[in-house]
Amino acid sequence: MSQFEAVLFDAGDTLIRLSGSGETLLHRAAASLGVDPLDPEETARVWRRVLARSSTAEELAKGRDLSNARHREVWTALYTFAGCEELAPGLSEELYALTVSAGSWEAFPDTLPTLMALRDRGLPVGIVSDTGFDLRPAMDLLGLSPFVDTVVMSFEQGICKPAVEVFLAACDRMQVRPERTLMVGDNPLTDSGAVAAGLHVFLLPPPVRTGPRGLRHILSLV
């Protein structure tokens, strides 16, 4: 008999991710503005600057995942800093709109099969995500929502992981005990906060560009 009664997942880069490379997103955003194809080298340079800055302590401290408005403000400012407006005027706003669009997200190949397998085993599933916009439309579009029992998002809670409150809120909604709940994520700094809430944690390695995420491994634990 499994020691777990429920499974929680992080969302971004665990169950779903933006479809295509960063450069591809920039080209798509520019095309939406009616701009001719961007210079590939300049586009790659801008996206490298986005990636380099987005995960710094300075950026994370800005509270971008605590509200819709703050999320848009922080990310568009970051895109502008990285040079998007030099590529095309208005590109920062257009890129932001694209990244929060439900149609811009894809599920990993093993996401839906894993969620279906958990449902077949009678285990409730929750999502705990640091996000400044609503992920439910993307999950609806990808066919994941029927297999998810609750979604806890930081911008609705006003608090981000690793705070124990977000993990406990998900457990409370599913009426399961934290010590009987498995949290699956990819960020040791945030997702491992579930340990302090009494949950068990399974951390995935960084995702590869193609192929499954490795989610089926958790089925051996439950």
Side-chain angles (χ1 to χ4, degrees):
M1 179 177 175
S2 171
Q3 64 176 313
F4 299 116
E5 298 175 347
V7 182
L8 299 180
F9 290 92
D10 171 54
D13 285 335
T14 296
L15 294 178
I16 61 176
R17 65 177 167 193
L18 282 168
S19 179
S21 67
E23 291 92 335
T24 299
L25 291 170
L26 281 165
H27 284 294
R28 288 173 57 194
S32 298
L33 294 172
V35 176
D36 290 332
L38 302 175
D39 178 81
E41 291 186 4
E42 285 298 300
T43 303
R45 177 187 63 82
V46 167
W47 192 251
R48 284 196 299 270
R49 294 184 73 183
V50 170
L51 293 178
R53 191 175 178 90
S54 62
S55 59
T56 63
E58 179 183 357
E59 285 296 311
L60 295 175
K62 294 179 180 179
R64 64 191 183 200
D65 292 327
L66 295 178
S67 73
N68 292 147
R70 189 64 179 155
H71 191 263
R72 178 173 184 168
E73 177 185 358
V74 171
W75 275 107
T76 53
L78 172 56
Y79 295 149
T80 299
F81 169 84
C84 284
E85 297 305 301
E86 299 169 21
L87 292 175
L91 187 59
S92 297
E93 288 283 352
E94 193 64 29
L95 178 60
Y96 179 79
L98 184 62
T99 59
V100 300
S101 170
S104 294
W105 292 80
E106 65 181 6
F108 289 95
D110 50 346
T111 295
L112 186 55
T114 301
L115 296 182
M116 293 175 68
L118 292 173
R119 174 59 56 88
D120 288 343
R121 298 183 186 192
L123 291 172
V125 168
I127 290 177
V128 179
S129 176
D130 284 348
T131 175
F133 67 100
D134 195 347
L135 293 170
R136 294 181 188 91
M139 293 191 297
D140 290 344
L141 189 62
L142 295 170
L144 307 182
S145 295
F147 304 97
V148 175
D149 298 281
T150 192
V151 180
V152 176
M153 293 180 284
S154 59
F155 82 94
E156 293 180 332
Q157 298 291 115
I159 191 169
C160 292
K161 298 179 289 187
V164 299
E165 289 86 350
V166 292
F167 303 106
L168 294 177
C171 291
D172 184 62
R173 292 182 188 182
M174 294 191 297
Q175 298 183 324
V176 294
R177 294 172 290 171
E179 65 271 19
R180 298 280 285 170
T181 304
L182 177 66
M183 172 67 197
V184 181
D186 68 307
N187 189 327
L189 296 178
T190 57
D191 297 319
S192 61
V195 172
L199 289 77
H200 298 261
V201 176
F202 183 88
L203 290 175
L204 296 165
V208 295
R209 186 60 255 169
T210 60
R213 186 66 179 93
L215 294 169
R216 296 301 293 261
H217 291 300
I218 71 169
L219 297 178
S220 65
L221 303 175
V222 299

